Each structure stands twice: as structure tokens, then as C-alpha cells.
Amino acid sequence: MTGATDRLIGVVGATGAVGGAAVHRLRALGYTRLLLGGRRPEPLAAFAARLGGDAGARRADADSPESLSAFCDGCDVVLNCAGPSYRIADAVAVAALAAGADYVDVTGDGPAHDRLSRTPAARDSAIVLSAGVLPGLSALLPRWFAARYGLERMSVHAGGLERCTEAAAGDLLLSLPGAEDPAAVFGEPLAAWRDGRVVARALRAADGVRVPGFPGTAFVQPFLTGEARRLAAVLRLRGLEWYNVHPGERTRAVLTSFAGRPGADPEDAAARLRRAADLDLAGRTPYYRLVYALTGPSGDRRTMTVGLPDSYRMTGRVGAQAVDAVARGLVPRGLHHAADVLDPASTVAALFDDPSEGTLRVEDTRPDSSEDEEGHL
């Protein structure tokens, strides 16, 4: 009799910042039958050799349906960690479903979900999208909080100072005003959720802003994602505002120069953004934070802060936890977003079981008390 950890797990993008973290987390969870996929055979083979055991390597190029088909053949669950998500869309998912595998994607919000919702094969497998930090953990945490305290309004600031991968740069540029490709955009810049509906252009971007929970000043970009809209609707929030925070001066200069400029060359913009992020990070300690200002039904206010030394590593951990839930039969067949099907309590506890990977802190911010209610998890 075989158990969940005996299933063959294929990881596309295994040598990337996210994929490598996912592979190590899967191994820590007891999965030994791992198939590593990516474009370059040599790094894949070297990674598999370091892992040892039953780890193997096979080419998996998101631009080659043939290679994806060959990679997915025989896999029980396929985890996609490659990007950018707007370009890959459902390419890896289609190959996985054709091979009869279950599927997890660390991104996959918006366009990929829309395409898969029209795919008959999606009904026959367990599919979990948005299983990263943002989207993913970003919605799972408010669900965890709401179950404990109740929740009526929230304002969130998310960002930090860290390297910018090619995949992250491509997706980040789509959060700017002027990024209007209907096949790619997964949210609405400057919008907010108020009293049960999306209000367009309710907020403004600003530079040189001091943001509570972040050092120094930053460029703050309001961006209401599809995930945020779904969360507000499900939790019946009266208000939700979401802001992306960019502290790096050079990164801010690139973002502000491309904001409101539809038609800019995406490859050039992404390359400039990556160089700027590297320069901003030089000689400084990287960090990523999610800071939630939360108001309960009775008006009580709390601040929930997530501190991450590396958001890419945590994204890999979230993806691995979603794979574990799928492999254990905890996710029903069909198409899902991670925050909708992963158990908030057990998943949050698992993700923050190692303080070196991330910390979670909830503080009472009512005027009459500043005590830390939950401390660190």
C-alpha cells in the first residue's frame, strides 16, 4: 500500500528561486519521488544528483508543448513554479491534465483560471492555483484572522527590498496604470473595495511615502487584485484597500517611468526593473513584508505583520504545502484557488514553523492597549 509521499511529484521551474525552495520543502515533508523540470538540462541534473534518492530530471520548456507532455507523463501531481504567469498562462496545466495528473500553480490567477474553467478535463483532477505568497498566503492570512476575531475592513501594504526575478518583473509591471492587456492583467490599479463593490480610481499612487511597518520611504501603488476582490466578497468586507510598496529608489524610478505608458516594450522594462532591484539591494539586507491593518465588526483594530527574508522561498513553501494537501486527498476535484481550499489554521501553522523562513505577528492596536496578543508563530 502506498501513501501520499510515495506519489511522483513533478516540479516545473525546479532550479528557479521559487522552484528550488518548493523542492526542498517537499523533501522535508517526506516526498522522495521528485521529478525536476526546466529548460536547461545541466543544472537540473546537478540538482537531482544533490538531492539523491529517487529524484530525477527531465526537460520541461513552457514554450514547448511536446516537452511539457513528456515531462508530465507518469506524474501524480505537477507543481508549476515557472513564470511569468501572464505568458505561461495554462500551458503547464494543459499538459498535466492531459497526462491525468493533479495540478498546483504558485501563480495562475486571472487569465489561467478563466481558461481552465472552460476546459472539460479540469473537472477530473484536483487543481489549485494562486498557491504562492501573493496571490495565496495574502488571502489565506485574512481568512485565518477572520476565523479568530471576525473582520469587517482591512488595508494592506505588501512589498519590500529584494531581488527581482524575470518572472516577478513581468508580472509586477502589469500592476501599473496603463498595463491594459485584457489577456494578462490580473487586477485593477488604483481601485478599492467599498460597501460590496469595486470603486474604480478611488485611490492614488504616491512616492516618498512613509508606510507603517516599513523602513524609510517608498513608492506606494494601489492595486486591487482579483484575489482581493474575491476575498472581500467571501468575507463580506465593507472596505478593502491594497497597496504594493516599493522602497528601492532605483526601482521606484523605473516603475514611475513606466506607469501610464501603454505600449512600452515589456522585455526592456523587465530588464531595467531587474537591474534597478539589484542596485537597490547592493549592500543591504533583503526583506519582504505584508502589513495588514484590520478592523473587526465591533470596531476593534489589530495589525497583522508578516516578515519574510525571501518572498520567493516562502512562495515555494506555499506551493509545496498545496501539493501536500492535494496528494493527501484533502482537495476535491475541480478548479480552486489555494486560499479557498487550504485549511487556514493548519496551513498557516505549517508555513511559519521555522522562524528563519518567516514570522507572523498580531498586535492589538486599539488606543487603550498595545499588548501583543498572539506574538510570533
Side-chain angles (χ1 to χ4, degrees), residues 150-286:
L151 183 59
E152 187 172 272
R153 299 178 182 273
M154 73 177 194
S155 177
V156 190
H157 289 81
L161 191 67
E162 56 181 3
R163 55 189 166 151
C164 185
T165 66
E166 181 180 357
D171 286 338
L172 176 58
L173 289 165
L174 291 176
S175 70
L176 299 175
E180 298 173 349
D181 180 355
V185 174
F186 37 80
E188 185 175 349
L190 310 182
W193 179 274
R194 291 177 178 167
D195 294 320
R197 65 186 183 93
V198 175
V199 179
R201 307 192 69 82
L203 306 171
R204 293 190 302 172
D207 200 4
V209 177
R210 290 194 175 274
V211 182
F214 290 80
T217 61
F219 171 58
V220 177
Q221 169 63 46
F223 189 69
L224 190 68
T225 63
E227 177 187 65
R229 292 197 304 269
R230 294 191 303 272
L231 180 70
V234 169
L235 296 182
R236 298 182 179 180
L237 300 183
R238 293 193 60 190
L240 188 155
E241 297 178 359
W242 193 285
Y243 301 88
N244 292 333
V245 179
H246 307 286
E249 292 183 5
R250 295 172 180 84
T251 300
R252 289 149 63 177
V254 172
L255 291 173
T256 53
S257 70
F258 280 97
R261 284 181 52 195
D265 179 16
E267 292 188 3
D268 173 64
R272 288 179 57 185
L273 188 57
R274 295 184 68 191
R275 288 194 298 270
D278 288 342
L279 290 171
D280 283 333
L281 190 56
R284 303 170 73 178
T285 301

Side-chain angles (χ1 to χ4, degrees), residues 115-170:
R115 293 187 188 185
L116 289 171
S117 67
R118 298 190 294 269
T119 303
R123 296 192 296 264
D124 301 324
S125 299
I127 305 171
V128 180
L129 306 180
S130 311
V133 167
L134 200 171
L137 181 63
S138 46
L140 193 66
L141 285 168
R143 285 177 174 268
W144 173 84
F145 180 93
R148 290 187 166 205
Y149 305 107
L151 183 59
E152 187 172 272
R153 299 178 182 273
M154 73 177 194
S155 177
V156 190
H157 289 81
L161 191 67
E162 56 181 3
R163 55 189 166 151
C164 185
T165 66
E166 181 180 357

